[in-house]
């Protein structure tokens, strides 16, 4: 599945959350990630995220799509982290 993950997390925890999300997804903008991920890896990412989060103050939103081709993306301005698709 293809996901877009967005989080809003306290300043003290944001560095650890960034590092965690980079292990699973591609960083595209501050607190925003995207990429292909399996159901198992997504559950793993969510479990690890919950350990870092204060659920009374922090939030994480995950947008899911079956495939990247069903998601239209338009970037206005400079893209922070251009994804290379070259092998």
């Amino acid at each position: 599945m293809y996901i877009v993950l967005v989080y809003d997390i306290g300043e003290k925890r944001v560095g650890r959350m960034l590092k965690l999300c980079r292990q699973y997804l591609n960083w595209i903008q501050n607190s925003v990630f995207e990429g292909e991920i399996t159901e198992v890896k997504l559950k793993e990412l969510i479990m690890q995220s919950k350990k870092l989060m204060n659920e009374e103050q922090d939030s994480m939103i995950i947008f899911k799509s079956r495939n990247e081709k069903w998601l239209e993306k338009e970037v206005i301005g400079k893209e922070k982290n251009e994804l290379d698709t070259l092998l």
Side-chain angles (χ1 to χ4, degrees):
M1 94 179 68
Y2 192 83
I3 70 165
V4 175
L5 182 146
V6 181
Y7 62 79
D8 184 8
I9 194 162
E11 200 174 317
K12 293 179 182 177
R13 297 175 294 283
V14 75
R16 288 180 289 173
M17 183 65 102
L18 172 68
K19 187 175 179 180
L20 173 66
C21 290
R22 280 187 163 175
Q23 293 175 17
Y24 294 88
L25 300 165
N26 300 306
W27 174 78
I28 58 169
Q29 195 170 22
N30 297 343
S31 304
V32 182
F33 295 80
E34 70 178 354
E36 283 287 335
I37 192 167
T38 65
E39 195 72 42
V40 171
K41 288 289 185 185
L42 179 56
K43 287 180 182 180
E44 188 177 292
L45 173 57
I46 292 169
M47 282 186 354
Q48 294 297 321
S49 297
K50 285 182 176 182
K51 291 178 184 177
L52 296 176
M53 294 173 66
N54 176 338
E55 291 190 43
E56 292 180 11
Q57 298 174 1
D58 304 331
S59 65
M60 182 170 63
I61 301 169
I62 300 170
F63 299 92
K64 298 178 185 178
S65 178
R66 288 185 200 144
N67 192 305
E68 183 181 4
K69 72 179 181 178
W70 301 110
L71 184 68
E72 185 177 329
K73 179 172 117 177
E74 179 179 356
V75 178
I76 299 169
K78 181 174 178 9
E79 189 163 2
K80 294 236 180 193
N81 190 19
E82 297 178 28
L83 300 177
D84 271 339
T85 54
L86 300 175
L87 297 177

